[in-house]
Amino acid sequence: LWRVPVLGHLPLPPPMRELVDNWQGDTPPSADLFGVLADHLSPHWDQPALGELMQRPAWPREFEISQQTPAGPRTRIAIAQDEAFGWCFPEALDALERAGATLCDFSPLRSERLPERTDLVYIGCGHPEQFAEALSRNHCLMQALRTYAAGGGRVYAEASGAAYLSRQLILPDGTAANMAGLLPINARFNAAASPPEQAEVTFGLGSWFADRGYRTAQWEMEPCGAMLTYAQDPRQRCDVLGRGNVICSRILFNIAAYPTLMERFARPSLAGRAIVRTF
């Protein structure tokens, strides 16, 4: 009827059906309820079919509607791309361009400066622990980042990118390499970390971030100075940190899945007020 694949069905016993039917939409479901629903769903869904569907380039219709190229100058987003950095959700880059942004590459390993007329710097995941010494020697690019941030420029970095913004990158053997120092944190690499796990974060009112992503355990962020924590839950206070217009996250967000977040990235002049706590 709807010309979409059926991936499975969710048979529920009467008590569970009654619980779902009586759920109030303004109250978030509990994690226990999600677990029970997952247990009932797991024998009755087609995981390979879902994998094939996820590989398709087509966008949902409602997302297509929101991707209108804005009039006026296009936002220029500088994205770290080299051997040390460059991992991010590929659909996020496509969505940024569809939202009207111009993407420009730069290399933390080799570039001497940021691309001209940069509106936002985006540093995704990668393997800076493998290039720590080379990254620490590129003083020109790190100074360019510091100058850009001091002038009010926005910088957003995730996981490994957050380690690059730290004061020191600390390897398992205790070796430390100086990084850009945009945030007063030390980033400690854990080579034996478990795979990323799904995480949910509640942000302060008006924050321009999403509320769900994948937390990586490869990096421990150790604060060593005053800055902001955007997570309301004290247990997550080191997951999303910031100082001025510089924000780093230990959680990987697929910004393509959040139209509001996409709006903030593609139009950096839209300022979001946030209720935050300081260390």
Side-chain angles (χ1 to χ4, degrees), residues 12 16 19-20 23 28-41 200:
L12 294 177
M16 181 59 62
L19 181 61
V20 172
W23 170 61
S30 68
D32 292 339
L33 177 58
F34 279 129
V36 173
L37 292 175
D39 290 340
H40 285 288
L41 173 65
E200 186 168 325

Side-chain angles (χ1 to χ4, degrees), residues 227-240:
M227 62 187 137
L228 302 175
T229 172
Y230 286 84
Q232 290 185 352
D233 189 336
R235 295 170 297 180
Q236 298 176 318
R237 71 189 200 115
C238 288
D239 282 347
V240 185

Side-chain angles (χ1 to χ4, degrees), residues 67-126:
Q67 299 306 296
Q68 302 294 329
T69 301
R74 293 166 65 94
T75 299
R76 291 175 62 85
I77 302 178
I79 299 179
Q81 291 281 344
D82 57 19
E83 299 90 330
F85 296 100
W87 189 96
C88 63
F89 294 96
E91 62 268 29
L93 303 184
D94 292 337
L96 284 169
E97 289 188 322
R98 292 160 67 89
T102 297
L103 308 185
C104 309
D105 295 352
F106 74 96
S107 169
L109 284 170
R110 289 178 288 275
S111 296
E112 294 183 355
R113 57 184 179 272
L114 294 172
E116 294 184 1
R117 302 188 305 280
T118 292
D119 297 307
L120 172 66
V121 175
Y122 182 12
I123 307 176
C125 260

Side-chain angles (χ1 to χ4, degrees), residues 140-173:
C140 293
L141 194 279
M142 290 191 290
Q143 182 58 44
L145 272 171
R146 289 191 285 265
T147 301
Y148 171 79
R154 295 203 310 168
V155 182
Y156 175 64
E158 289 183 335
S160 303
Y164 181 64
L165 298 186
S166 70
R167 290 182 178 176
Q168 284 192 325
L169 188 158
I170 305 174
L171 299 175
D173 63 0

Side-chain angles (χ1 to χ4, degrees), residues 7 9-10 46 48 69 87 115 128 158 161 166-167 184 202 250 269 278:
L7 298 179
H9 66 285
L10 183 59
D46 190 341
T69 301
W87 189 96
E158 289 183 335
S166 70
R167 290 182 178 176
T202 300
R250 203 164 64 109
S269 61
T278 59

